[in-house]
């Protein structure tokens, strides 16, 4: 049996003849032999099974009686009709049955691939419960096991095999109008190191937050993983590893692939596509940012987004610890992307507040790396991003000695190494300060410099504590301590939205400072009363709208906006642009 089908595809008429097959095999796919060519069909108007299998439009049991008639769904669904709220209740009930976090992750990814609106509704309405699943810490484990749990591609894989063809690869992605790309090369995934191609979980997770937390439409988001190999022996020897089975390409080969990618992105999506660099190792991250910040709308989340969220927490904390930012002394464990990025933004903010030159304001900020305190006698051997922090001081080896020597009021962990804020270190901070501010930023939870319980117990309840990955509230001597989550997830969704709604063409440090100040302004007295320096994530859509508005305002002020005229009320405008996951009615 043969049949001919015509459809309008990409604006042109396509004719396909199928050969052989049974009664229902109209297009010949089932009966075609392996060496016989067939055409993969899609329909321009989804109905019946294709509608149920299209995650963007599928509503599952929420299709109304009328929609079931009009869209050939009769019999394809059981008779019950659920509204979205009941679907949500059922899914949350099911998710809570899973005891293994990774099972929750795969269930949520399945939902995202089945019913996109319901996935985002769930995430938005249950953000505090589900953030640790789609994001840190569980996303870390998902990346480690990505080869085993991989089902369908959720983003674009661009490997060395695609060299010379990246523009074509971008055109394979089904969405044509992209506003945000999160790209990684998988070399520094959270604090878990080189996970190669399996780092894809990170851009996927970050972009789901762009939508849920920042209201950027899912169809405008593109996760990308650049695969230049991996130096992770365990993955190279893992039969289920999904990436290129070779050592990482470096030097010219690496740079050329990145250059081709950056050019292709701009060529395909235009000047205003936002590119977020994520989880690159620091030996590439700083150079890539430096190279592309003047030609693309780009920022590095680990260097700049993290800096913005930590500065916001510091600004807010002044209400609890007192004094101005310039009155504090900062000590970091970890002098990489996060550490030096945060340090620089603090120095810029102090300089902005006091009018002192940034070379001066840097002197209140000290960093420890794997070799000890960064001091001037080490200058020659330091990586370029550490050099501004090499102050005059005698060499100091360990963190405890550095705390004793520098006497910081604020201790920030950005080392990627867990358990490094020891009892002695926390006790030393508590001995020096009435209210020591301790931030353990490293992710996932296993890499946190200390736990919330350790921070509160060892400081005898004095510490103000926040961490990159969430901790449950802690009871100490009859009092409940709630810690905040110092994570760039507070910043990048609203920051990105602000850039998009203003039509920004470049990112500037002033925009990051605006985002920090906007986030700090969202901390309420009620939050402060609980010792929190970040507002709860349950309000994140409102917070993101405020961040977006202040970032957009800065973009307009700097003359870098292209969406003109400038809307009068930027908060309202940001809110009006946000994606909402409620179902639409189909005619
Ligand atoms: N909460 C958040 O929002 C964010 C958290 N992070 C987390 O921060 C961590 C670090 O990320 P990033 O800055 O990009 O990583 P980098 O690799 O760029 O930097 C790590 C730094 O830690 C230092 N270090 C490593 N081990 C030790 C040790 N035992 N003692 C002292 N210093 C040490 C390294 O020293 P050396 O230079 O000598 O090798 C380096 O300076 C990760 O866990 C990441 O998940 C990152 C971004 C955002
Ligand atoms: C949060 C984040 O970006 C990181 O840990 O790398
Ligand atoms: Mg990151």
């Amino acid at each position: 049996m043969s049949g001919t089908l015509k459809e309008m595809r990409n604006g042109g008429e396509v004719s396909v003849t199928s050969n052989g097959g049974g009664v229902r095999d109209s297009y010949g796919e089932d009966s075609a032999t392996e060496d016989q060519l067939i055409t993969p069909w899609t329909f321009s108007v989804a109905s019946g099974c294709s509608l149920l299998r299209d995650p963007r439009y599928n509503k599952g049991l929420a299709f109304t009686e009328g929609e079931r008639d009009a869209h050939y769904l009769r019999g394809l669904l059981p008779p019950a009709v659920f509204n979205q709220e009941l679907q949500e209740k059922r899914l949350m009930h099911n998710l809570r049955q899973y005891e293994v976090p990774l099972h929750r992750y795969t269930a949520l990814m399945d939902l995202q691939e089945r019913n996109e609106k319901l996935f985002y509704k769930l995430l938005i309405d249950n953000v505090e419960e589900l953030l640790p699943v789609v994001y840190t810490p569980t996303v870390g484990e998902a990346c480690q096991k990505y080869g085993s749990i991989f089902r369908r591609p959720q983003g674009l894989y661009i490997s060395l095999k695609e060299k010379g063809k990246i523009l074509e690869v971008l055109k394979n992605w089904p969405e044509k109008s992209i506003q945000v790309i999160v790209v990684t090369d998988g070399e520094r995934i959270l604090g878990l190191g080189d996970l190669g191609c399996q780092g894809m979980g990170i851009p996927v997770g970050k972009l789901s937050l762009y939508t849920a937390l920042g209201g950027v439409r899912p169809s405008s988001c593109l996760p990308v993983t650049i695969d230049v190999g991996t130096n992770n022996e365990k993955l190279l020897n893992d039969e289920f590893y999904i990436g290129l089975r070779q050592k990482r390409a470096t030097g010219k080969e690496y740079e050329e692939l990145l250059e081709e990618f950056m050019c292709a992105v701009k060529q395909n999506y235009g000047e205003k596509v936002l590119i977020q660099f994520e989880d690159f190792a620091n030996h590439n991250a700083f150079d890539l940012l430096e190279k592309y910040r003047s030609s693309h709308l780009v920022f590095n989340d680990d260097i700049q987004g993290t800096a913005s969220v930590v500065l916001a927490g510091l600004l807010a904390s002044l209400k609890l610890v007192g004094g101005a930012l310039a009155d504090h002394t900062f000590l970091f464990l970890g002098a990489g992307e996060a550490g030096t990025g945060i340090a620089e933004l603090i120095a810029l903010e102090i300089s902005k507040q006091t009018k002192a030159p940034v070379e001066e304001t840097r002197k209140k900020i000290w960093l420890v790396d794997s070799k000890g305190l960064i001091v001037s006698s080490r200058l020659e051997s330091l990586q370029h991003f550490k050099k501004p922090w090499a102050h005059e001081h005698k060499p100091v080896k360990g963190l405890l000695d550095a705390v004793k020597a520098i006497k910081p009021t604020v201790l920030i962990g950005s080392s990627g190494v867990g358990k490094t804020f020891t009892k002695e270190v926390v006790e030393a901070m508590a001995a020096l300060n009435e209210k020591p501010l301790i931030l353990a930023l490293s992710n996932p939870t296993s890499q946190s410099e200390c736990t919330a319980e350790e921070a509160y117990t060892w400081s005898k309840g004095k510490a103000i504590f926040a961490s990159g990955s969430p901790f449950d509230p802690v009871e100490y001597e009859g009092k409940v301590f709630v810690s905040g989550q110092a994570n760039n997830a507070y910043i990048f969704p609203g920051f990105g939205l602000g850039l998009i709604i203003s039509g920004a063409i470049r990112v500037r440090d002033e925009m990051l400072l605006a985002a920090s100040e906007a986030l700090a302004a969202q901390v309420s007295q009620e939050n402060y009363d609980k010792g929190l320096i970040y507002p709860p994530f349950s309000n994140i859509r409102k917070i993101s709208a405020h961040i977006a508005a202040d970032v957009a305002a800065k973009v307009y002020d700097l003359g870098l906006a292209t969406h003109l005229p400038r809307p009068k009320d930027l908060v309202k405008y940001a809110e009006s642009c946000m994606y909402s996951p409620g179902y639409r009615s189909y005619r």
Side-chain angles (χ1 to χ4, degrees):
M1 183 181 162
S2 72
T4 302
L5 188 86
K6 289 183 176 177
E7 72 161 3
M8 298 300 289
R9 198 168 177 232
N10 296 333
E13 196 171 72
V14 182
S15 169
V16 166
T17 305
S18 60
N19 301 307
V23 174
R24 300 210 172 271
D25 187 20
S26 345
Y27 314 133
E29 280 102 332
D30 295 344
S31 57
T33 56
E34 276 189 16
D35 51 4
Q36 217 173 338
L37 301 180
I38 61 145
T39 301
W41 280 101
T42 62
F43 296 85
S44 38
V45 177
S47 67
C49 265
S50 63
L51 179 56
L52 292 179
R53 287 183 186 149
D54 184 332
R56 186 133 313 149
Y57 295 109
N58 179 29
K59 298 197 264 186
L61 287 180
F63 280 111
T64 62
E65 300 288 356
E67 286 170 336
R68 292 174 190 214
D69 281 331
H71 295 278
Y72 306 96
L73 296 169
R74 284 277 162 212
L76 299 181
L77 290 165
V81 178
F82 284 14
N83 61 23
Q84 204 178 18
E85 283 63 40
L86 187 58
Q87 287 183 306
E88 193 177 352
K89 186 174 171 191
R90 187 176 75 100
L91 276 160
M92 287 309 293
H93 170 80
N94 291 347
L95 278 175
R96 288 173 185 141
Q97 308 298 309
Y98 293 115
E99 282 176 10
V100 178
L102 194 61
H103 293 165
R104 286 192 197 159
Y105 178 88
T106 49
L108 276 170
M109 292 304 110
D110 283 349
L111 175 62
Q112 189 176 20
E113 284 165 18
R114 200 168 67 237
N115 183 337
E116 187 179 270
K117 285 209 163 72
L118 190 54
F119 169 78
Y120 283 111
K121 179 101 173 83
L122 221 63
L123 199 48
I124 291 167
D125 292 347
N126 304 277
V127 64
E128 292 193 317
E129 187 172 346
L130 297 184
L131 206 56
V133 184
V134 297
Y135 194 54
T136 181
T138 310
V139 71
E141 189 187 351
C143 290
Q144 288 173 313
K145 299 176 180 162
Y146 214 71
S148 301
I149 63 174
F150 175 84
R151 283 154 211 236
R152 300 172 86 189
Q154 295 170 290
L156 270 182
Y157 293 88
I158 299 177
S159 77
L160 289 168
K161 286 190 200 171
E162 279 70 56
K163 191 158 191 280
K165 299 181 220 161
I166 296 182
L167 189 57
E168 286 167 50
V169 174
L170 293 181
K171 290 187 191 297
N172 287 345
W173 188 249
E175 302 296 340
K176 303 299 162 214
S177 167
I178 296 297
Q179 291 179 307
V180 190
I181 293 173
V182 176
V183 57
T184 188
D185 72 355
E187 193 170 4
R188 195 286 277 141
I189 294 297
L190 307 177
L192 301 171
D194 183 352
L195 298 184
C197 188
Q198 301 195 166
M200 180 56 106
I202 293 294
V204 168
K206 292 268 175 186
L207 283 164
S208 67
L209 303 197
Y210 260 100
T211 299
L213 280 50
V216 178
R217 253 194 317 282
S219 57
S220 310
C221 297
L222 173 57
V224 176
T225 295
I226 306 268
D227 186 353
V228 294
T230 178
N231 296 337
N232 184 327
E233 287 296 333
K234 198 168 161 219
L235 290 179
L236 288 173
N237 293 320
D238 178 351
E239 63 175 326
F240 297 139
Y241 180 56
I242 57 171
L244 282 186
R245 222 167 270 273
Q246 65 165 73
K247 292 269 183 202
R248 278 187 179 272
T250 57
K252 197 160 170 274
E253 200 181 1
Y254 179 88
E255 284 161 29
E256 282 177 1
L257 194 73
L258 266 291
E259 171 71 6
E260 187 188 338
F261 169 70
M262 294 301 284
C263 291
V265 159
K266 207 162 148 181
Q267 205 177 332
N268 206 37
Y269 304 118
E271 180 87 357
K272 287 178 283 180
V273 62
L274 171 63
I275 303 164
Q276 173 169 324
F277 287 131
E278 191 70 50
D279 289 10
F280 284 75
N282 63 38
H283 54 92
N284 289 317
F286 288 97
D287 294 348
L288 286 171
L289 183 60
E290 195 48 41
K291 182 166 177 191
Y292 293 108
R293 72 192 315 171
S294 54
S295 59
H296 289 66
L297 180 68
V298 64
F299 75 102
N300 181 299
D301 187 38
D302 301 296
I303 302 171
Q304 297 169 291
T306 313
S308 187
V309 80
V310 170
L311 178 60
L314 297 176
L315 292 173
S317 74
L318 298 176
K319 281 245 171 73
L320 296 173
V321 297
L325 205 58
D327 300 329
H328 287 271
T329 305
F330 306 87
L331 180 66
F332 287 78
L333 182 72
E337 294 167 64
T340 62
I342 301 162
E344 185 64 11
L345 205 66
I346 297 173
L348 283 176
E349 178 70 14
I350 298 177
S351 169
K352 186 180 146 195
Q353 289 180 4
T354 61
K355 311 274 178 281
V358 74
E359 293 73 20
E360 272 309 304
T361 62
R362 285 188 187 128
K363 291 185 178 155
K364 296 286 292 222
I365 305 172
W366 296 81
L367 294 98
V368 172
D369 66 8
S370 64
K371 297 189 177 62
L373 190 65
I374 296 183
V375 291
S376 50
S377 55
R378 294 179 52 196
L379 192 64
E380 286 306 306
S381 62
L382 291 173
Q383 288 148 290
H384 66 89
F385 49 87
K386 293 179 183 169
K387 286 187 193 285
W389 310 102
H391 309 316
E392 285 301 325
H393 198 284
K394 65 177 182 0
V396 178
K397 266 268 161 265
L399 178 63
L400 182 60
D401 288 340
V403 169
K404 288 178 181 163
I406 303 300
K407 301 186 176 34
T409 54
V410 180
L411 178 65
I412 301 178
S414 52
S415 62
V417 183
K419 305 271 164 226
T420 36
F421 289 174
T422 58
K423 186 164 186 274
E424 291 72 26
V425 166
V426 175
E427 283 174 350
M429 284 299 291
L432 287 166
N433 301 285
E434 196 46 48
K435 287 182 180 165
L437 182 54
I438 300 179
L439 306 181
L441 299 181
S442 294
N443 297 315
T445 316
S446 58
Q447 312 308 110
S448 188
E449 282 79 6
C450 68
T451 65
E453 186 170 11
E454 289 165 346
Y456 295 123
T457 313
W458 292 340
S459 69
K460 297 198 169 18
K462 286 168 80 175
I464 296 166
F465 178 75
S467 52
S469 299
F471 284 105
D472 287 337
V474 173
E475 199 180 321
Y476 174 74
E477 294 197 337
K479 195 173 161 203
V480 176
F481 291 82
V482 186
S483 59
Q485 191 173 350
N487 194 296
N488 49 35
Y490 272 109
I491 290 291
F492 66 79
F495 187 73
L497 181 66
L499 298 175
I500 292 170
I501 63 173
S502 57
I505 51 164
R506 298 288 177 269
V507 173
R508 297 276 184 268
D509 288 339
E510 291 94 320
M511 301 171 196
L512 294 158
L513 292 178
S516 300
E517 289 164 14
L519 176 56
Q522 293 299 312
V523 188
S524 67
Q525 191 54 49
E526 194 193 339
N527 304 148
Y528 287 125
D529 291 344
K530 289 185 188 152
L532 285 170
I533 54 170
Y534 292 100
F537 267 113
S538 49
N539 287 338
I540 189 67
R541 303 262 292 188
K542 176 178 156 261
I543 296 165
S544 293
H546 281 270
I547 294 174
D550 287 8
V551 169
K554 191 54 80 180
V555 177
Y556 283 105
D557 292 348
L558 292 170
L560 292 167
T562 60
H563 285 179
L564 300 168
R566 172 181 177 149
K568 280 203 177 61
D569 185 335
L570 279 166
V571 176
K572 276 213 177 97
Y573 182 63
E575 280 169 346
S576 74
C577 294
M578 288 170 107
Y579 164 87
S580 98
Y583 288 143
R584 313 298 193 264
S585 297
Y586 300 155
R587 57 172 167 261

